């Protein structure tokens, strides 16, 4: 480029910059004004328990708002609550969800893949964040986690609880629970999981979890992929041992000990946790329970029918 042409181009560029600079400055002021206040946070953090387990958690919303805490099922992570987290954040709540040890982004530990340890981690998280008057919402195995946590929590920590497609009182068939599923079901789970975890999780999400194996129900590829992604993020060892946890843990005494209001939500077509041997029994054991049965929904109804589930949760919290 000749010197004269270069100077001409430079002059045009400088003029354009001079014209644009007020707009840029205005844009900068708008961005500055849009920053969240100091009373609000949108955080993704880790904390370490006394036993040196590293737990990942999300903590969104005003610090002084009522906390709503979410407990995920097997084998997913806190990401399974994205829809609910955003919904309740937009309704003014402080939203918290953690990845259970060995799941999602939380650390893998050699020992501790049992319900008592999972609950101890929740107790530690509640103390770490000083959560009080919180509403705890759990899905599937996460429903068992909150049943045991709420039964053991310090006074004032828990205001209400909601269990969605939850495993309590106990999934396994025993002498005291003759309607439960036989051990062979869970042994087959373990066999398929160990043989090819990736394919097993893909098949599980493509079928019974969201009811995509039902006539007339169209699969949603993104939903399947996201469930599979969460499962593959976690530790295979923790998830393998987790099958025993969600199937064999007996929550009967925990349910009897609950005194806070509890909303029990379940579908009559849940193919993963059959309602007859779970929520229908739990509702009889909890002193202050409200049972809500959904016709034809799936185990993953918190996502497939989020508009209905979220509205019902919000009404329960505000009641």
């Amino acid at each position: 480029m000749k010197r004269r042409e270069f100077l001409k181009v430079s002059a045009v560029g400088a003029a354009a910059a001079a014209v644009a600079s007020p707009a840029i400055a205005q844009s900068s002021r708008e961005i500055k004004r849009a920053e969240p206040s100091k009373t609000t946070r949108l955080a993704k953090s880790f904390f370490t328990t006394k036993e040196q387990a590293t737990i990942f958690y999300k903590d969104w919303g005003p610090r002084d708002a009522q906390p709503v805490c979410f407990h995920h099922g097997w084998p997913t992570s806190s990401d399974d609550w994205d829809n609910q987290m955003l919904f309740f954040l937009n309704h003014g709540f402080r939203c918290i969800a953690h990845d259970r040890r060995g799941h999602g982004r939380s650390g893998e530990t050699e020992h501790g893949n049992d319900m008592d340890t999972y609950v101890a981690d929740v107790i530690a998280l509640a103390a770490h964040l000083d959560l009080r008057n919180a509403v705890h919402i759990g899905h599937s195995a996460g429903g068992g986690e909150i049943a045991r946590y709420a039964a053991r929590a310090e006074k004032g920590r828990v205001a209400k609880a909601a269990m969605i497609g939850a495993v309590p009182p106990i999934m396994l068939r025993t002498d005291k629970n003759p309607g439960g599923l036989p051990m062979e079901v869970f042994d087959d789970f373990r066999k398929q999981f160990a043989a090819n975890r990736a394919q097993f999780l893909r098949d599980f999400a493509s079928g019974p979890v969201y009811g995509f194996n039902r006539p007339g129900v169209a699969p949603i590829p993104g939903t399947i992929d996201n469930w599979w992604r969460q499962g593959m993020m976690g530790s295979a060892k923790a998830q393998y041992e987790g099958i025993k946890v969600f199937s064999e843990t007996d929550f009967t005494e925990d349910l009897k000990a609950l005194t806070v209001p509890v909303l029990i939500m379940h579908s009559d077509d849940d193919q993963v946790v059959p309602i007859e041997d779970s929520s229908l029994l739990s509702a009889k054991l909890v002193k202050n329970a409200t049972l809500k049965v959904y016709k034809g929904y799936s185990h993953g109804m918190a996502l497939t029918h989020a508009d209905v589930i979220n509205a019902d949760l919000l009404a329960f919290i505000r009641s």
Side-chain angles (χ1 to χ4, degrees), residues 214-270:
R214 292 303 195 211
V217 179
I220 305 173
T223 296
I224 296 169
D225 291 345
N226 189 45
W227 199 89
W228 180 87
R229 174 190 67 83
Q230 292 178 67
M232 294 303 295
M233 285 173 64
S235 157
K237 179 178 181 295
Q239 293 169 356
Y240 183 87
E241 293 175 0
I243 296 172
K244 176 181 177 66
V245 179
F246 74 69
S247 63
E248 297 183 36
T249 303
D250 190 343
F251 298 97
T252 301
E253 297 306 314
D254 301 303
L255 296 171
K256 291 179 180 179
L258 295 177
T259 57
V260 299
V262 179
L263 177 62
I264 300 174
M265 313 166 80
H266 217 115
S267 168
D268 66 353
D269 192 34
D270 191 319

Side-chain angles (χ1 to χ4, degrees), residues 78-154:
S78 57
D79 291 353
D80 212 33
W81 292 109
D82 283 352
N83 185 290
Q84 284 70 38
M85 291 276 286
L86 291 171
F87 175 85
F88 284 99
L89 176 67
N90 289 329
H91 279 80
F93 293 91
R94 178 182 177 184
C95 300
I96 297 156
H98 74 288
D99 291 356
R100 194 170 297 122
R101 65 168 61 201
H103 295 68
R105 287 139 292 201
S106 286
E108 178 178 2
T109 56
E110 183 175 358
H111 305 290
N113 295 312
D114 59 82
M115 189 54 65
D116 284 343
T117 306
Y118 294 160
V119 170
D121 291 343
V122 177
I123 291 172
L125 178 61
H128 176 71
L129 298 176
D130 194 25
L131 302 178
R132 300 183 184 279
N133 194 40
V135 177
H136 287 263
I137 301 172
H139 174 242
S140 199
E145 184 175 87
I146 64 168
R148 182 153 295 182
Y149 168 70
R152 300 181 179 185
E154 294 177 359

Side-chain angles (χ1 to χ4, degrees), residues 169-189:
I170 178 173
M171 291 190 73
L172 183 68
R173 179 183 296 169
T174 65
D175 292 340
K176 294 182 179 180
N177 185 45
L181 296 172
M183 180 62 79
E184 290 76 16
V185 170
F186 304 109
D187 284 342
D188 186 57
F189 245 63

Side-chain angles (χ1 to χ4, degrees), residues 26-36:
Q26 175 66 20
S27 176
S28 298
R29 287 194 296 272
E30 290 175 352
I31 292 172
K32 187 175 182 179
R33 284 199 299 271
E35 290 178 354

